[in-house]
């Protein structure tokens, strides 16, 4: 066996060690999720991720290949989050609510802490149509835009574990509510601050509440508190089915 073959064999042994360690790590991530649920502990613990980053920074201080190792650990962290989110949600989460209730803020937070894909419906439609919503209304009419919304909801049925931030008019259409519930749970983010409740929004309230599987109050709460409550309420709803 020449030197190159020896080195390649050593590399293969390293790969075996890495593979076994990753499989073990992923099982431990799942075990942690089970333990948290059994002991009614918070699911989201961002301080743990900060602790891991601090540990890695200290271990890699002054070492070669720091960037490459950091990239690998960043990917491991993201995949751990995906494992957690798939265990939590094998369905889509549709966020509805008044303007200013925090749909975009919370969807971005879930993307960060659980590595969930996020679809902003209005943004998606604007990008696909190549024009603003106001231009779509002016050029094709409101009914055309509403059909685009419904078609996007139907499209989302081929996916799971996605956070969908809905436009304000989505829950007003009964068919949209039906389509969302086929493979998702509808979460109403409710902000009672009167500065957000214009006449139009107040007229929508009954439709919003009828569409929602759960309601999460957002007043005076941090992003972490809102998301933790959202997760707890959804798991509770699933358990009571």
């Amino acid at each position: 066996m020449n030197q190159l073959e020896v080195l390649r064999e050593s590399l293969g042994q390293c790969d075996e060690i890495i593979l076994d360690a990753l499989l073990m790590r992923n099982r431990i991530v799942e075990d942690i999720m089970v333990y948290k649920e059994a002991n009614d502990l918070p699911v989201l613990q961002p301080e743990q991720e900060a602790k891991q980053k601090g540990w890695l920074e200290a271990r890699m201080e002054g070492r070669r290949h720091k960037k490459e190792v950091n990239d690998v650990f960043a990917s491991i962290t993201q995949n751990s989050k995906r494992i957690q989110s798939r265990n939590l949600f094998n369905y889509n989460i549709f966020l509805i609510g008044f303007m200013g209730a925090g749909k975009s803020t919370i969807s971005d937070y879930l993307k960060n802490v659980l590595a969930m894909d996020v679809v902003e419906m209005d943004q998606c439609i604007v990008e696909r149509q190549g024009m603003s919503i106001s231009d779509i209304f002016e050029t094709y009419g409101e009914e055309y835009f509403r059909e685009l919304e419904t078609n996007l909801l139907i499209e989302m049925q081929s996916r799971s574990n996605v956070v969908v931030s809905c436009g304000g008019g989505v829950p007003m259409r009964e068919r949209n509510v039906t389509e969302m519930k086929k493979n998702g749970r509808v979460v109403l983010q409710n902000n009672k601050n009167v500065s957000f409740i214009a006449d139009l929004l107040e007229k929508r309230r009954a439709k919003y509440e009828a569409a929602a599987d759960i309601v999460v109050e957002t007043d005076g709460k941090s992003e972490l508190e809102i998301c933790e409550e959202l997760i707890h309420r959804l798991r509770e709803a699933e358990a009571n089915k």
Side-chain angles (χ1 to χ4, degrees), residues 8-234:
R8 284 176 172 167
E9 183 173 321
S10 296
L11 193 64
Q13 291 171 354
C14 288
D15 289 342
E16 288 286 350
I17 293 170
I18 292 169
L19 177 59
D20 288 341
L22 285 174
L23 292 172
M24 179 183 295
R25 191 183 194 282
N26 290 345
R27 286 195 296 271
I28 293 171
V29 169
E30 292 178 329
D31 289 343
I32 288 173
M33 293 294 293
V34 171
Y35 183 85
K36 285 180 177 179
E37 182 173 10
N39 292 276
D40 198 26
L41 296 174
V43 172
L44 305 177
Q45 296 179 320
E47 69 279 1
Q48 183 63 24
E49 183 177 350
K51 181 179 178 181
Q52 289 171 333
K53 285 181 179 179
W55 165 81
L56 182 59
E57 184 67 28
R59 292 283 280 115
M60 292 304 298
E61 183 64 35
R63 290 177 178 261
R64 296 175 63 195
H65 313 303
K66 181 176 180 179
K67 181 181 183 302
E68 290 78 10
V69 171
N70 284 342
D71 285 346
V72 169
F73 270 86
S75 179
I76 289 172
T77 298
Q78 282 297 99
N79 284 319
S80 294
K81 291 177 179 179
R82 291 190 182 100
I83 290 169
Q84 292 180 69
S85 66
R86 284 198 301 268
N87 276 322
L88 286 169
F89 311 120
N90 61 356
Y91 49 82
N92 295 327
I93 298 174
F94 295 93
L95 300 179
I96 64 173
F98 300 135
M99 200 168 37
K103 298 189 298 293
S104 295
T105 300
I106 297 309
S107 61
D108 286 345
Y109 193 80
L110 288 171
K111 179 180 181 180
N112 180 50
V113 297
L114 287 175
M116 298 180 74
D117 290 335
V118 172
V119 173
E120 294 272 357
M121 288 188 66
D122 285 349
Q123 180 182 333
C124 182
I125 290 172
V126 165
E127 290 175 354
R128 290 181 177 185
Q129 295 294 304
M131 61 176 71
S132 67
I133 293 175
S134 59
D135 286 342
I136 295 173
F137 270 60
E138 184 177 343
T139 305
Y140 300 108
E142 180 178 358
E143 186 61 23
Y144 177 84
F145 177 76
R146 298 306 175 194
E147 284 298 317
L148 292 176
E149 289 181 320
T150 300
N151 290 336
L152 182 54
L153 293 175
I154 294 171
E155 181 183 326
M156 294 306 302
Q157 291 171 22
S158 64
R159 301 177 64 182
S160 61
N161 198 232
V162 178
V163 181
V164 183
S165 182
C166 300
V170 168
M172 304 301 290
R173 202 178 204 189
E174 289 296 329
R175 185 183 174 189
N176 289 347
V177 177
T178 299
E179 299 300 340
M180 287 189 286
K181 288 180 180 287
K182 284 181 179 178
N183 76 324
R185 306 294 178 269
V186 183
V187 179
L188 170 58
Q189 291 185 253
N190 195 26
N191 189 319
K192 293 180 179 177
N193 187 325
V194 292
S195 65
F196 293 117
I197 309 299
D199 288 342
L200 173 62
L201 301 181
E202 191 59 39
K203 290 174 183 176
R204 288 177 171 177
R205 179 179 293 279
K207 288 280 189 179
Y208 280 16
E209 292 178 347
D213 292 299
I214 66 167
V215 179
V216 177
E217 302 293 345
T218 61
D219 289 340
K221 296 177 183 174
S222 68
E223 295 164 349
L224 176 59
E225 289 171 331
I226 293 168
C227 289
E228 191 65 54
E229 181 179 345
L230 182 152
I231 291 169
H232 176 75
R233 297 283 303 283
L234 284 172

